[in-house]
Amino acid sequence: MPASKVLYSTKATATGGRDGTSKTHDGALDLKLATPKELGGAGGEGVNPEQLFAAGYAACFLGAMKAYARGKKIAVPEDAEVTATVGIGPRDDDGFGIKVEIEVSLPGVADDVADDLIAGAHHVCPYSDATRGSLEITPTRAA
């Protein structure tokens, strides 16, 4: 569901596709892009859209978990971590699809509390909401 009131907006422009550049209009981000060897590119210096999505999703999920925890008056440990693994590959219909795995580390948090925080974060995280129904994502606790 889209935001009922936009509190922040940003704009980025990509040129050259996977082997070009991508930058935000405010100049805060200016990246060289490179297609990974696994996708037929040269690899090398530069980032790719999957890396950007993984970094954004991990940060967003941790922020959502902290917001959910605040509402329940639960402290999220400072050393909490969220790792997002994003993969890309062919679909059966000749297109490409992505697969996402979310792993959450909450040191010192009881299992039942951690499970609630992870489920709550997955419910309120904008990235989870945007991908709900198009990707199967089940966040898990780190071993």
Side-chain angles (χ1 to χ4, degrees):
M1 173 180 296
S4 58
K5 178 181 178 184
V6 175
L7 299 176
Y8 171 76
S9 180
T10 188
K11 188 184 285 191
T13 300
T15 58
R18 286 182 167 268
D19 289 306
T21 63
S22 187
K23 56 180 117 178
T24 56
H25 287 219
D26 65 4
L29 187 69
D30 188 348
L31 301 170
K32 180 181 183 311
L33 304 173
T35 303
K37 289 181 182 181
E38 296 84 350
L39 295 178
E45 292 184 30
V47 298
N48 61 63
E50 293 72 36
Q51 290 169 318
L52 295 170
F53 187 64
Y57 202 155
C60 188
F61 197 93
L62 184 52
M65 188 166 48
K66 287 180 175 184
Y68 178 79
R70 269 192 308 276
K72 298 192 90 170
K73 299 193 181 346
I74 298 171
V76 172
E78 288 294 318
D79 56 350
E81 293 182 344
V82 174
T83 301
T85 303
V86 175
I88 185 171
R91 295 187 318 228
D92 292 337
D93 66 358
D94 293 329
F96 282 87
I98 60 173
K99 179 179 179 182
V100 177
E101 297 173 3
I102 301 287
E103 186 177 73
V104 180
S105 173
L106 292 165
V109 176
D111 290 348
D112 61 330
V113 174
D115 289 343
D116 179 54
L117 292 177
I118 293 167
H122 191 47
H123 178 72
V124 302
C125 175
Y127 275 58
S128 291
D129 188 53
T131 59
R132 195 167 282 118
S134 63
L135 297 176
E136 184 177 320
I137 303 169
T138 304
T140 60
R141 274 187 287 127

